[in-house]
């Protein structure tokens, strides 16, 4: 009857805590047009900015004439580098220790570079005025090839003193940025020289772009009376933007409020600071009015941070039986005109040295040369933890090439080289301590799920049928086992612009037992409002439905380093759990007082403290919260709040086993994905439904990257892929069905054992798709071909292999 108290299971269920597939609370507004994005910010008297951009990839700016533009009714100002120079804002620091022009200062270094900022009463007038600004250029020789750039006499960065060190040490050429090395070079070379089997391959991970559906933008509003600057923007790290804005503008940090409203996808594109943000701030200060800058699609694709563009030359050695003995990798990293890579300061190649992957490789070496070219700046982690995606692609290709050389099954080659369960925590040859893993279990589960043996038999038959002329379709089985490294990161070695990469959560329980929690992270579609409340529900006993999660307002949220590289769960998620535990510790004192027993005589049970041995005597969290505000409790302050700043002791190491089965039409180069199986292990799973959504989205981005998406340039630096006509974004039409699966290996150092998951499918998906293409042609001798595997490239591969008769 009604009076029956809920069972323990019912109480647990009511919380919708860890492990619950709670529906996403943010979707109510997203699916009903009630989201609030930057472009929805409309302030009285607001002006609009637009850029004059360079049509050339490398040119001197001889003159800029804005007379005609300024004469257009509605145009308020045209800013150039000359206007920014007195404020020292014509250049800005990048996250990688380099500096970048805000507006062209004497020359332009990539097509689409910002030359002048037009401010007008509406967006259309601004665009018309852009056409009226006359810029005289004098063309200079263009360098689009990083290898050529390192040989060329053409000096790209005339602002840098020749021969002077860069942010990461010596530069050996005027177009060189850094050489960064890890591992034992001499020992690795010796092992490789004396090895029974060695393969060498150039693996190129092409330039692409995160291309979030919502482009980047900002609205700056300078209140000159109160000296306060409010900045709304598409920021993945709002607090860092506030600190940078303060350092650049000289406005004290407490007078700057940065707000990230709803964000329509970030994927790393919205981590850095772009000239548009700086110009909107300056324009607001100059005009005294709010100024909005919203990129169009071409602005976004051509000028904001690209991803990848890594030329990875690998050598891997093994015994005849297939035991890997050493790995050597040299990367030529094309950073474009400015090194605006978003990495922790000490890691100019991010976490690329996770490139030993899931394998127990005794000795390894990595060297990365950063190079300037006439391309857009950046080098961001596109749904990726600082270059782990490049690393995973590299090692998973090298494994396939080695398997071919050894004439061995690639699944078996992986199996005999996996780090074994009992080896964790495992220190890799390149210095990482993998916290946990169980690769064999995941691998066996995956192979069994797809009937791997059956697939191989079918593939062999297909090859025979093809040779007999009975079919024109080949079958590829793309295998991947990836190891991720997420949760940057320990303050001892991870910082961005000197800010340690901790994160934070502040929670306030209201008298009636509901709560608000604020975090230093910011959701861009990951569902934080849903899942962080679940962590708190399990920790505090307050139902997730009674907890509001707020992020993205620096006036209210505690300082945090933001959301990228799947760091939210490993870092802010840990802070959240610990803030919840602080609440519980205080609640315990209050409960003991109310129950008239010693603190140690009560114990936690789902949503209440219970007197040990007397389960009928308890106080629920709601009763405790009420007492916290209404009763004088000796030795206990009123109220129930907590804040936690969490410095993770280590990264977390999610992993996964992906298998892609692909049919390839040799005559048209078309592909069809017959099956895609994705097993992810992200430790303790907070919300299985959200995880599945993350995996589906990440796999679809991986499909895009592997099979068609590319930022391409011609020889004179014209960006050939500046619109969505040319830059591939898959729709439902191109997207296959995915089968998701999991194992659960908790992180031993994370308070709830959770690892990140958001980027795993991008990291593991790309090699799975690419390996499937390669595998289809393995029987015909294909060792390595470059992504993206669009129909034309696949056709060409088939042609080069002589398969067109
Ligand atoms: O930093 P970001 O939010 O992009 O990535 P994440 O930490 O991997 O989290 C992505 C989403 O997956 C969040 O809503 C997490 O709460 C959820 N997640 C989960 O439910 N269980 C995990 N073990 C990891 C993430």
């Amino acid at each position: 009857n009604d009076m029956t108290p809920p069972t323990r299971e019912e109480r647990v269920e009511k919380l919708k805590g860890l492990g619950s597939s709670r529906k996403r609370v943010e979707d109510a507004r997203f699916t009903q047009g009630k989201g609030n994005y930057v472009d929805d910010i409309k302030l009285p008297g607001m002006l609009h900015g637009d850029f004059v951009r360079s049509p050339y990839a490398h040119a001197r700016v001889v003159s800029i004439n804005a007379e005609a533009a300024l004469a257009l009714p509605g145009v308020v100002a045209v800013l150039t580098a000359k206007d920014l120079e007195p404020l020292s804002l014509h250049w800005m620091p990048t996250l990688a220790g380099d500096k970048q022009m805000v507006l062209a200062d004497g020359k332009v270094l990539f097509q689409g570079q910002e030359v002048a900022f037009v401010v007008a009463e509406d967006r259309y007038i601004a665009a018309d005025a852009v056409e009226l600004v006359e810029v005289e250029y004098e063309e200079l020789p263009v360098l689009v090839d990083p290898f050529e750039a390192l040989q060329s006499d053409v000096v790209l960065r005339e602002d840098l003193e020749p021969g002077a060190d860069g942010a990461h040490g010596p530069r050996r050429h005027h177009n060189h940025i850094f050489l960064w090395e890890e591992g034992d070079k001499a020992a690795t070379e010796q092992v490789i020289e004396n090895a029974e089997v060695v393969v060498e391959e150039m693996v190129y991970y092409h330039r692409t772009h995160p291309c979030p559906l919502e482009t980047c933008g900002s609205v700056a509003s300078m209140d000159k009376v109160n000296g306060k600057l409010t900045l709304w923007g598409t920021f993945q790290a709002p607090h860092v933007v506030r600190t940078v804005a303060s350092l650049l503008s000289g406005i004290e940090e407490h007078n700057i409020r940065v707000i990230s409203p709803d964000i329509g996808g970030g994927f790393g594109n919205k981590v850095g600071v772009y000239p548009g943000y700086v110009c909107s701030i300056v324009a607001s200060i100059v005009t005294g009015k709010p100024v909005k800058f919203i990129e169009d699609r071409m602005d976004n694709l051509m000028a904001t941070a690209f991803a990848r563009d890594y030329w990875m030359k690998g050598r891997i050695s093994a015994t005849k039986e297939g035991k890997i003995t050493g790995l050597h990798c040299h990367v030529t990293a094309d950073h474009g005109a400015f090194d605006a890579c978003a990495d922790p300061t000490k890691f100019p190649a991010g976490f690329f040295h996770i490139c030993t992957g899931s394998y127990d490789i005794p000795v390894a070496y990595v060297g990365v040369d950063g190079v300037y070219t006439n391309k857009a700046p950046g080098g961001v982690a596109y749904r990726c933890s600082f270059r782990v995606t490049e690393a995973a692609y590299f090692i998973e290709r090298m494994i396939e090439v080695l398997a071919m050389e050894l004439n061995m099954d690639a699944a078996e080659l992986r199996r005999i080289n996996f780090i074994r369960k009992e080896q964790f925590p495992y220190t890799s040859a390149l210095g990482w301590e993998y916290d946990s893993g169980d690769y064999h279990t995941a691998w066996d589960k995956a192979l069994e799920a797809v009937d791997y043996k059956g697939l191989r038999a079918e593939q062999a038959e297909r090859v025979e049928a093809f040779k007999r002329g009975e079919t024109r379709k080949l079958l590829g089985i793309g295998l991947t086992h990836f190891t991720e490294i997420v949760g940057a990161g320990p303050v001892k070695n991870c910082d961005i612009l000197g800010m340690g990469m901790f994160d934070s959560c502040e929670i306030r329980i209201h008298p009636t037992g509901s709560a608000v929690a604020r975090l230093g992270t910011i959701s861009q579609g990951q569902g934080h409002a849903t899942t962080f409340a679940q962590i708190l529900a399990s920790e505090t006993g307050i139902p997730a439905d009674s907890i509001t999660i707020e992020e993205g307002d620096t006036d209210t949220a505690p300082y945090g380093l933001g959301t990228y590289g799947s760091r939210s769960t490993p870092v802010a998620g840990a802070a959240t759990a610990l803030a919840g535990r602080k609440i519980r510790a205080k609640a315990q004192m209050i409960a003991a007082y109310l129950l008239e027993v010693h603190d140690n005589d009560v114990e936690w049970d789902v949503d209440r403290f219970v007197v040990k041995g007397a389960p009928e005597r308890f106080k629920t969290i709601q009763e405790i919260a009420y007492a916290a505000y209404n009763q004088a409790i000796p030795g206990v302050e009123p109220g129930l709040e907590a804040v936690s700043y969490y410095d993770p002791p280590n990264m977390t190491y999610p992993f996964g086993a992906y298998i892609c089965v692909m049919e390839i039409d040799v005559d048209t180069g078309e592909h069809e994905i017959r099956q895609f199986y994705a097993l992810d292990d992200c430790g303790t799973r907070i919300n299985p439904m959200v995880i599945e959504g993350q995996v589906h989205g990440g796999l679809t981005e991986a499909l895009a990257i592997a099979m068609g998406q590319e930022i391409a340039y011609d020889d004179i630096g014209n960006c050939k892929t500046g619109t969505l006509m040319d830059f591939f974004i898959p729709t439902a039409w191109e997207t296959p069905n995915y089968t998701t699966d999991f194992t659960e290996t908790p992180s031993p150092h994370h308070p709830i054992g959770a690892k990140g998951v958001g980027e795993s499918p991008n990291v593991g998906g790309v090699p799975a798709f690419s390996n499937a293409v390669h595998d289809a042609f393995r029987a015909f001798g294909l060792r390595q071909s470059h992504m993206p595997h669009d129909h034309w490239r696949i056709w060409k591969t088939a042609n080069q292999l002589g398969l067109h008769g």
Side-chain angles (χ1 to χ4, degrees):
N1 64 41
D2 284 342
M3 298 307 284
T4 317
T7 63
R8 194 169 188 279
E9 286 66 42
E10 284 166 346
R11 286 193 283 126
V12 170
E13 192 144 319
K14 185 165 175 244
L15 295 183
K16 300 190 190 162
L18 292 186
S20 158
S21 281
R22 181 186 187 216
K23 283 198 175 154
R24 289 171 28 120
V25 295
E26 42 275 90
D27 288 348
R29 68 176 189 280
F30 292 154
T31 56
Q32 294 178 64
K34 297 286 182 194
N36 182 41
Y37 299 89
V38 178
D39 205 22
D40 293 320
I41 309 283
K42 295 187 171 84
L43 303 175
M46 190 170 75
L47 303 174
H48 299 261
D50 193 7
F51 278 114
V52 176
R53 294 183 180 276
S54 169
Y56 297 109
H58 196 197
R60 239 170 256 301
V61 178
V62 179
S63 66
I64 303 176
N65 181 351
E67 257 172 59
L70 284 165
L72 187 71
V75 173
V76 179
V78 178
L79 300 179
T80 65
K82 283 214 169 54
D83 302 303
L84 301 187
E85 196 172 347
L87 307 164
S88 297
L89 286 175
H90 54 319
W91 287 76
M92 62 179 184
T94 70
L95 294 176
D98 195 1
K99 54 184 182 149
Q100 175 176 352
M101 288 179 209
V102 173
L103 291 172
D105 183 21
K107 71 190 273 193
V108 286
L109 286 156
F110 64 94
Q111 187 185 52
Q113 187 177 332
E114 300 80 0
V115 175
F117 190 66
V118 175
V119 185
E121 281 164 11
D122 74 37
R123 185 67 179 77
Y124 300 95
I125 297 174
D128 288 346
V130 161
E131 301 293 318
L132 296 175
V133 177
E134 292 158 23
V135 187
E136 195 187 326
Y137 298 95
E138 184 187 300
E139 283 182 75
L140 294 168
V142 173
L143 297 172
V144 287
D145 178 307
F147 298 98
E148 194 191 323
L150 280 181
Q151 307 294 328
S152 171
D153 293 336
V154 177
V155 180
L156 298 181
R157 292 290 300 275
E158 291 164 12
D159 57 296
L160 301 177
E161 219 174 287
D165 282 3
H168 306 286
R171 301 164 56 226
R172 67 165 186 274
H173 180 268
H174 48 254
N175 296 328
H176 185 234
I177 311 173
F178 61 80
L179 167 64
W180 181 77
E181 295 176 287
E182 194 64 69
D184 191 334
K185 190 176 185 188
T188 305
E189 281 173 355
Q190 208 191 352
V191 164
I192 289 176
E193 237 160 70
N194 300 318
E196 291 176 0
V197 182
V198 180
V199 287
E200 180 173 320
E201 204 57 65
M202 176 64 96
V203 179
Y204 179 47
Y205 199 137
H206 60 293
R207 180 175 274 238
T208 180
H209 194 283
C211 194
L213 282 189
E214 177 204 26
T215 58
C216 301
S218 59
V219 176
S221 180
M222 185 71 209
D223 172 348
K224 286 193 177 169
V225 176
N226 295 304
K228 297 238 177 214
L229 169 69
T230 307
L231 182 65
W232 289 263
T234 47
F235 308 136
Q236 290 182 234
H239 282 95
V240 181
V241 169
R242 187 186 68 187
T243 301
V244 174
S246 173
L247 292 172
L248 285 181
S249 68
I251 302 170
E252 279 193 273
E253 203 165 351
H254 72 288
N255 279 330
I256 301 176
R257 179 179 186 186
V258 176
I259 302 173
S260 295
D262 284 330
I263 296 183
F267 315 114
N269 190 227
K270 294 168 178 172
V271 173
V273 171
Y274 295 123
Y277 308 162
V278 178
C279 288
S280 65
I281 295 173
V282 173
S284 180
I285 294 173
V286 170
T287 63
K289 297 202 171 154
V291 176
K292 178 185 272 186
F293 168 71
I294 303 288
E295 293 172 344
D296 64 22
R297 183 57 61 191
M298 287 181 78
D299 294 334
N300 182 255
L301 281 172
M302 290 174 66
T304 66
F306 74 93
R308 327 296 191 225
D309 217 343
Y310 258 32
W311 293 89
M312 304 173 284
K313 179 94 176 262
R315 274 183 291 159
I316 191 166
S317 61
T319 64
K320 278 191 294 242
E321 293 73 37
K323 190 81 191 78
I324 300 171
T325 53
L327 178 70
H328 187 288
C329 180
H330 178 266
V331 180
T332 303
D334 185 341
H335 285 262
F338 309 98
D339 186 8
C341 208
D343 288 315
T345 309
K346 294 186 185 72
F347 300 98
F351 300 159
F352 182 77
H353 48 315
I354 191 78
C355 67
T356 51
S358 310
Y359 312 103
D360 184 15
I361 302 181
V363 61
Y365 163 80
V366 164
V368 181
D369 275 308
V371 186
Y372 290 123
T373 59
N374 290 118
K375 297 181 188 168
V380 293
Y382 170 4
R383 202 172 188 149
C384 157
S385 192
F386 314 114
R387 305 287 186 180
V388 54
T389 312
E390 289 87 329
Y393 183 64
F394 167 73
I395 185 67
E396 289 304 297
R397 283 300 312 138
M398 292 306 292
I399 291 281
E400 293 282 316
V401 173
L402 180 62
M404 212 172 149
E405 178 77 21
L406 290 162
N407 199 17
M408 217 175 138
D409 177 79
E412 186 56 21
L413 178 61
R414 284 179 175 82
R415 192 202 311 271
I416 63 172
N417 285 290
F418 280 147
I419 301 161
R420 294 185 314 279
K421 193 179 167 183
E422 61 275 14
Q423 287 177 282
F424 293 96
Y426 169 87
T427 303
S428 76
L430 294 173
W432 293 113
E433 189 190 297
Y434 292 32
D435 66 343
S436 57
D438 181 357
Y439 300 162
H440 287 96
T441 301
W443 197 235
D444 291 344
K445 190 173 181 182
L447 296 182
E448 197 170 314
V450 300
D451 180 22
Y452 181 67
K453 277 206 183 110
L455 283 173
R456 283 290 177 212
E458 184 188 345
Q459 183 186 43
E461 277 166 31
R462 185 73 69 89
V463 168
E464 291 314 311
F466 181 87
K467 286 179 179 163
R468 289 193 302 267
E470 290 162 14
T471 178
R472 297 299 289 165
K473 284 190 178 173
L474 296 173
L475 186 67
I477 305 163
L479 304 176
T480 285
H481 191 288
F482 64 94
T483 295
E484 265 266 73
I485 171 169
V486 302
V491 173
K492 61 175 188 275
N493 59 9
C494 287
D495 73 89
I496 282 192
L497 289 178
M499 301 303 307
M501 295 182 74
F502 59 85
D503 227 289
S504 58
C505 171
E506 180 194 278
I507 173 164
R508 189 172 294 175
I509 315 285
H510 307 315
T512 51
S514 67
V516 58
R518 302 189 170 99
L519 291 93
T521 43
I522 173 73
S523 194
Q524 306 126 39
Q526 296 94 329
H528 289 181
T530 306
T531 52
F532 282 124
Q534 293 183 247
I535 297 177
L536 283 170
S538 288
E539 294 293 341
T540 65
I542 296 171
D545 290 343
S546 300
I547 303 173
T548 296
I549 299 292
E550 283 183 13
E551 299 178 310
D553 183 341
T554 58
D555 263 13
T556 55
Y559 205 106
L561 271 280
T563 293
Y564 40 86
S566 291
R567 66 184 296 279
S568 301
T569 303
V571 193
T576 304
L578 294 182
R581 283 174 203 179
K582 285 185 185 173
I583 293 290
R584 225 160 74 188
K586 184 167 178 182
Q588 180 164 5
M589 291 193 279
I590 298 172
Y593 173 80
L594 298 174
L595 291 161
E596 298 180 359
V597 296
H598 190 274
D599 287 3
N600 293 336
D601 293 333
V602 292
E603 62 189 357
W604 181 249
D605 179 40
V606 185
D607 54 1
R608 62 193 56 183
F609 275 103
V610 179
V611 176
K612 286 180 187 163
E616 72 288 356
R617 294 186 59 207
F618 61 84
K619 288 289 171 192
T620 63
I621 188 71
Q622 288 78 14
E623 291 172 307
I624 295 167
Y626 196 68
Y629 289 91
N630 292 287
Q631 238 171 300
I633 300 169
V636 178
E637 284 180 13
L640 196 52
E641 301 186 6
V643 54
S644 175
Y645 283 80
Y646 186 77
D647 175 11
N650 190 3
M651 247 57 91
T652 67
Y653 294 76
F655 59 92
Y658 290 0
I659 300 172
C660 172
V661 185
M662 193 185 279
E663 304 257 357
I664 285 184
D665 186 318
V666 168
D667 296 319
T668 63
E670 286 172 298
H671 69 270
E672 186 196 334
I673 291 146
R674 198 167 87 181
Q675 185 181 5
F676 198 106
Y677 170 90
L679 178 151
D680 274 282
D681 191 317
C682 57
T684 304
R685 289 151 44 93
I686 300 162
N687 184 323
M689 181 200 69
V690 167
I691 292 172
E692 194 180 10
Q694 293 286 305
V695 173
H696 281 207
L699 287 177
T700 304
E701 282 182 331
L703 166 84
I705 296 168
M707 307 309 290
Q709 191 172 86
E710 173 179 32
I711 294 287
Y713 291 87
D714 69 10
D715 291 346
I716 54 166
N718 290 309
C719 179
K720 298 194 288 182
T721 49
T723 75
L724 295 186
M725 290 292 287
D726 308 297
F727 186 84
F728 173 47
I729 296 282
T731 63
W733 181 257
E734 290 94 354
T735 305
N737 286 322
Y738 304 114
T739 307
T740 58
D741 203 348
F742 68 99
T743 55
E744 200 161 343
T745 312
S747 165
H749 59 79
H750 187 280
I752 60 167
K755 307 174 181 181
V757 76
E759 66 193 37
S760 293
N762 197 324
V763 172
V766 171
F769 288 114
S770 181
N771 282 347
V773 174
H774 286 91
D775 186 68
F777 292 111
R778 177 172 159 164
F780 304 93
L782 178 66
R783 252 170 73 137
Q784 178 62 15
S785 67
H786 293 326
M787 291 193 291
H789 305 294
D790 54 29
H791 300 162
W792 161 236
R793 282 200 181 85
I794 293 179
W795 182 91
K796 230 167 37 175
T797 296
N799 194 264
Q800 279 158 4
L801 294 171
L803 302 184
H804 293 151

